[in-house]
Structures are given as structure tokens and as C-alpha cells.
Amino acid sequence: QVQPVESGGGSVQAGGSLRLSCEASGYPYRPQCQGWFRQTPGQEREGVAIIDRDGGTTYADSVKGRFTISKDSTRNTVNLDMNNLQPDDTAMYYCATDPPGGLPLNKCLITYLVDYGIAGQGTQVTVSS
């Protein structure tokens, strides 16, 4: 059973940086799409960044130029480097990966990963002004 496990959250002041890491165990297949989404209480999930099997990346407009997603395929880990963090970035951050049957149409899209991906328990990121 695939189970992503996040780490690296914490509290920082505005302008600071954090690195989130995700290690997924139990893969019976090579993941095609992995990424991060975030959520605050009472709000819908917001896709943050994804990376496909070939290393192609997509970012939400709100984080472009500040966040960088990367992966180490040999370890099945995905990292999210977050720079110039702002109070609006405060949220629970979840790592997600495509399910065994793949995403709809086998497309690695932020919306598909948010809606259909297998997510971890999350790690809290808090940014103070």
C-alpha cells in the first residue's frame, strides 16, 4: 500500500524558507505524478506544485518563482523548497502521488493530483508577519 509521509514543516517569519520532504513507501509501480497541495481550515485544497515522471514541473501562480519541486527517484522522495514565504502560505501541506490505476487520462495535472491522488497526513507550515 502506497503511503506518502511528509516532513519538514514548521514556523518561520515572512521572507524565510523551509524545505518539505516526502517519502513514499509501498510502491508497486513507478509513480507517474507526484506533488504537493495545501489546505487551510474551511477552505478547499489548493494545488501547489507537481512533478511528472520525466521531471516536468507545474506550479500554482501563487508560488511561481518562490517554490521549487524536485524529486529523487532512487529514493522515491519529493521535495518542496519554499523561499520568501508569506503569511498567505500558512497551511497544512500534503504530499500526494498518483494511485495504482493512474490519474484520469494518465495526465499529470495539478487538479487531477489534488482530486485523485493518494495523500499523506500533512505537515503544518506557519508563516508569521
Side-chain angles (χ1 to χ4, degrees), residues 33-40 43-51 58-60 69 92-99 102-104 107-120:
C33 188
Q34 297 167 286
W36 296 85
F37 65 88
R38 63 190 181 187
Q39 191 171 25
T40 55
Q43 301 296 316
E44 294 186 354
R45 295 177 175 182
E46 178 190 11
V48 174
I50 57 172
I51 186 165
T58 304
Y59 297 92
I69 188 170
M92 185 73 80
Y93 283 71
Y94 298 86
C95 173
T97 186
D98 53 334
L103 294 171
K107 288 190 175 182
C108 186
L109 301 175
I110 283 184
T111 53
Y112 284 175
L113 192 66
V114 170
D115 290 343
Y116 300 103
I118 299 173

Side-chain angles (χ1 to χ4, degrees), residues 27-33 53-54 71 73 98:
Y27 273 114
Y29 55 94
R30 181 187 177 193
Q32 305 297 300
C33 188
R53 62 181 180 180
D54 298 321
K71 68 176 181 177
S73 297
D98 53 334

Side-chain angles (χ1 to χ4, degrees), residues 43-101:
Q43 301 296 316
E44 294 186 354
R45 295 177 175 182
E46 178 190 11
V48 174
I50 57 172
I51 186 165
D52 65 27
R53 62 181 180 180
D54 298 321
T57 59
T58 304
Y59 297 92
D61 288 342
S62 57
V63 306
K64 279 181 183 177
R66 301 188 297 124
F67 291 12
T68 302
I69 188 170
S70 60
K71 68 176 181 177
D72 182 343
S73 297
T74 60
R75 300 182 181 182
N76 269 341
T77 58
V78 179
N79 300 311
L80 186 68
D81 290 296
M82 307 184 295
N83 297 311
N84 191 22
L85 284 161
Q86 300 300 315
D88 283 350
D89 295 315
T90 295
M92 185 73 80
Y93 283 71
Y94 298 86
C95 173
T97 186
D98 53 334

